[in-house]
Amino acid sequence: MDVQTVQHKSPRSFGLATKHLQGLRRRDFLAGSALVAGRWISSEQTDFVVDPATGEAIAEVTRCGATDMDLAIAAAEQAFSSWRELLPLRRGAILRSWASLMIEHLEELAILVTSEQGKPLAEARHEIAYGAGFLEWFAAEGERAYGDTMPSHKVGTLLQVRVQPVGVAAAITPWNFPVAMITRKAGAALGAGCPIIVKPAPETPLSALALGRLAEEAGLPRGVFQVLIGDPVELSEPLLRDTRIRALSFTGSTQVGRMLLERAAQTVKKVSLELGGHAPFLIFDDVDIGKAVEGAMAAKFATSGQDCLAANRIYVQRGVYGAFVEEFAAAIAKLKVGHGLEPGIEIGPMTKLSVANKCRLQIDDARKKGARVVSSNHGGNLGPNFVSPTLLADVTAGMLIASDETFGPVAAVLPFDSEEEVVARANASEMGLAGYVYTNSLRRALRLSEQIECGMLGINTPSFTGPPIPFGGWKQSGLGREGSRHGLAEYMELKYVCFGDLGS
Ligand code: NAD
């Protein structure tokens, strides 16, 4: 079976994003200028934003340079003292108002996300609501940033631990969740009392700039939230070398994350990294196959597979292997592939051609090494960024897909015999972000919740993310946590104070 996508444009969807964007009430969302030091700036140098489904240019945005970043750092440093001194209740009110504006503009933001990122509109709408949830969450977490007091070890003293904002923060964000990855970082930084400078992925600047417009309307003061777009290396350089940037949060590839960590060490910043995963999805033979298929579909194909939580290795116990593969293949064959702005679409294009090519490489490699291509859902005459949702069965450890993150709609299924064996295989990965277990045995669920090496584990559920959870990974999947009360801690310093001689 030929699993390569047909590489030419769909005449039906060409122009679709432009048509939707032209209908936006908020024309300023398409202005393309960057938010630096409380001003919307443009330069003569610009970049095109491209609809990944059709390859057409849909907007033009300014290209900021290192000098603009220097201005942004100075403005953020200047804004720090008044932002940190604002009552947490007041900061919380501004964050809540920003979240409300996001919900008010949900449809327009979703159209921006689908147009530049490619995900189906229904998923983009969900992302806006999910993203606004982090602002609400951190509004409240900032209000509850308690310290400690403890019994003293020294006579006549009083001990206290205060939590205080670390200083100016920077965020380098990815294209797969162009809104939520910004609000998850910015909500935490701002709730903690830190101004933040955002450098979004060059593929998805429009969503980030629209967030900047709404942040301003919500009342975030000058320099507290800034968005600079342009070349990643040029813009990150000043952030890395400047000692005024006290915290750096990054989501993206392990390769770039490692380099940023190394560079940030020179100025001893607090660094948090969310670097993607290679999630094992374990299906035991005591489960209802229908539920396991439903779970695997959601865990594999959300965000068209471009999700760091995506199930990358689906291990199925031998007793249900054949039945699972058959039902899973049938479900994959029904997925509707196309332009995310068309009604009912479930799988859109890959945002980057390199990601689509990586999927094709993994399929070819697996096929050559003996995997069975059980289902390949041809999306029609789509385009180079589209990958047919594909099921590879009988995947083995030597295939690329068994160890490299796929980040696309290609499902790898591997048989296993015993619990002990599958736990060892699941853990034999450099990555450790998420994991999934499907079983009807409570004892086994408890055992595996202890044994699987990952930061987040779903037992009999494919979906668990949201503001209350500490999102993050073990091993090469990253450092630190986002969301939850732990997310706030990434932007705070502890200060221990010992009060002595309290006698008179
Ligand atoms: P990437 O790591 O290159 O990009 C992520 C962010 O880092 C973007 O903002 C980008 O502009 C910035 N960046 C890139 N190079 C940089 C540099 N030298 N200095 C400073 N910033 C830099 O990721 P990618 O190439 O777009 O995607 C490759 C793979 O990374 C994907 O296939 C996937 O496996 C992984 N990824 C993971 C996530 C996630 O959610 N964890 C998100 C995006 C990509």
Side-chain angles (χ1 to χ4, degrees):
M1 194 183 307
D2 176 22
V3 295
Q4 300 299 315
T5 40
V6 183
Q7 307 227 343
H8 44 268
K9 288 188 177 82
S10 156
R12 200 175 42 153
S13 63
F14 198 77
L16 196 57
T18 304
K19 195 173 131 220
H20 276 76
L21 293 173
Q22 278 169 352
L24 293 187
R25 274 180 301 124
R26 290 291 301 254
R27 303 304 304 157
D28 57 334
F29 284 179
L30 298 173
S33 35
L35 179 55
V36 180
R39 289 180 43 235
W40 289 95
I41 63 156
S42 316
S43 78
E44 293 200 338
Q45 289 194 307
T46 56
D47 291 301
F48 285 112
V49 185
V50 169
D51 173 358
T54 60
E56 66 184 310
I58 52 172
E60 208 171 342
V61 291
T62 196
R63 192 187 303 163
C64 300
T67 319
D68 300 313
M69 188 55 90
D70 287 335
L71 275 176
I73 296 171
E77 177 68 10
Q78 207 179 11
F80 179 41
S81 56
S82 50
W83 183 247
R84 69 183 285 184
E85 278 158 24
L86 212 58
L87 281 181
L89 274 174
R90 183 70 201 116
R91 288 201 298 259
I94 294 174
L95 287 178
R96 289 188 183 96
S97 150
W98 190 10
S100 303
L101 285 167
M102 284 178 67
I103 299 301
E104 204 178 294
H105 293 88
L106 188 142
E107 195 60 22
E108 294 185 289
L109 292 171
I111 288 170
L112 288 180
V113 168
T114 298
S115 300
E116 63 182 357
Q117 199 276 344
K119 67 177 69 178
L121 192 57
E123 286 191 355
R125 290 186 184 118
H126 179 262
E127 179 180 349
I128 309 308
Y130 172 64
F134 289 107
L135 301 180
E136 300 262 3
W137 175 268
F138 283 112
E141 278 304 305
E143 291 161 10
R144 291 190 292 257
Y146 307 132
D148 296 318
T149 57
M150 57 270 202
S152 181
H153 57 306
K154 288 164 75 76
V155 175
T157 62
L158 188 65
L159 312 185
Q160 217 177 53
V161 179
R162 307 238 183 101
V163 283
Q164 297 188 320
V166 63
V168 177
I172 298 179
T173 57
W175 41 263
N176 59 340
F177 284 88
V179 165
M181 293 308 96
I182 293 179
T183 55
R184 191 158 75 185
K185 294 176 196 304
L190 298 170
C194 304
I196 186 163
I197 300 169
V198 178
K199 191 221 76 62
E203 294 77 13
T204 54
L206 297 177
S207 322
L209 296 173
L211 280 181
R213 300 264 167 193
L214 299 178
E216 214 178 21
E217 281 159 43
L220 277 163
R222 174 185 186 273
V224 171
F225 179 79
Q226 304 180 81
V227 185
L228 281 82
I229 47 183
D231 177 71
V233 176
E234 185 176 353
L235 292 183
S236 62
E237 199 52 36
L239 294 172
L240 289 163
R241 65 161 186 260
D242 201 306
T243 51
R244 290 172 294 179
I245 300 292
R246 300 301 316 130
L248 174 69
S249 179
F250 169 77
T251 299
S253 61
T254 298
Q255 188 194 7
V256 173
R258 265 196 207 113
M259 181 278 293
L260 294 174
L261 180 63
E262 208 175 312
R263 294 287 320 281
Q266 301 303 312
T267 46
V268 196
K269 300 185 197 309
K270 247 171 128 70
V271 177
S272 49
L273 304 172
E274 203 272 275
L275 306 178
H278 203 269
F281 192 110
L282 279 49
I283 298 169
F284 287 88
D285 59 13
D286 57 3
V287 295
D288 176 294
I289 300 278
K291 284 192 182 150
V293 168
E294 209 178 294
M297 288 298 291
K300 178 68 243 180
F301 294 104
T303 329
S304 311
Q306 300 174 111
D307 194 325
C308 52
L309 298 177
N312 221 116
R313 290 166 289 153
I314 303 173
Y315 293 103
V316 186
Q317 202 160 17
R318 198 84 60 181
V320 291
Y321 185 77
F324 174 83
V325 167
E326 197 175 314
E327 274 196 39
F328 194 33
I332 292 173
K334 286 191 202 134
L335 284 170
K336 279 186 77 180
V337 183
H339 196 294
L341 289 169
E342 282 175 10
I345 290 299
E346 293 163 296
I347 301 287
M350 301 299 97
T351 310
K352 293 176 72 159
L353 181 62
S354 58
V355 173
N357 286 339
K358 187 172 163 196
C359 291
R360 292 191 264 269
L361 177 78
Q362 289 194 350
I363 294 170
D364 282 348
D365 168 81
R367 196 167 42 171
K368 279 186 199 133
K369 291 176 182 162
R372 272 188 298 137
V373 180
V374 183
S375 174
S376 178
N377 168 329
H378 287 268
N381 287 353
L382 294 173
N385 283 34
F386 282 92
V387 175
S388 298
T390 301
L391 168 52
L392 298 170
D394 307 343
V395 166
T396 54
M399 299 175 188
L400 285 176
I401 198 165
S403 53
D404 283 359
E405 188 173 29
T406 304
F407 233 63
V410 185
V413 183
L414 308 85
F416 74 90
D417 292 300
S418 72
E419 178 182 321
E420 197 183 13
E421 169 213 332
V422 77
V423 169
R425 287 170 67 191
N427 288 341
S429 168
E430 289 276 280
M431 310 307 272
L433 188 66
Y436 304 84
V437 173
Y438 271 65
T439 179
N440 260 340
S441 156
L442 180 59
R443 283 204 175 129
R444 178 184 284 138
L446 288 169
R447 273 195 304 275
L448 267 58
S449 69
E450 184 67 24
Q451 292 169 1
I452 303 288
E453 294 170 358
C454 63
M456 295 168 283
L457 186 65
I459 307 264
N460 295 336
T461 177
S463 131
F464 47 69
T465 182
I469 75 142
F471 195 108
W474 292 13
K475 303 196 260 186
Q476 304 300 303
S477 287
L479 284 179
R481 292 296 180 269
E482 297 192 307
S484 79
R485 68 188 163 86
H486 302 284
L488 199 78
E490 301 289 333
Y491 299 92
M492 305 210 84
E493 284 284 19
L494 296 183
K495 183 188 283 169
Y496 158 63
V497 187
C498 177
F499 295 91
D501 194 15
L502 295 173
S504 53

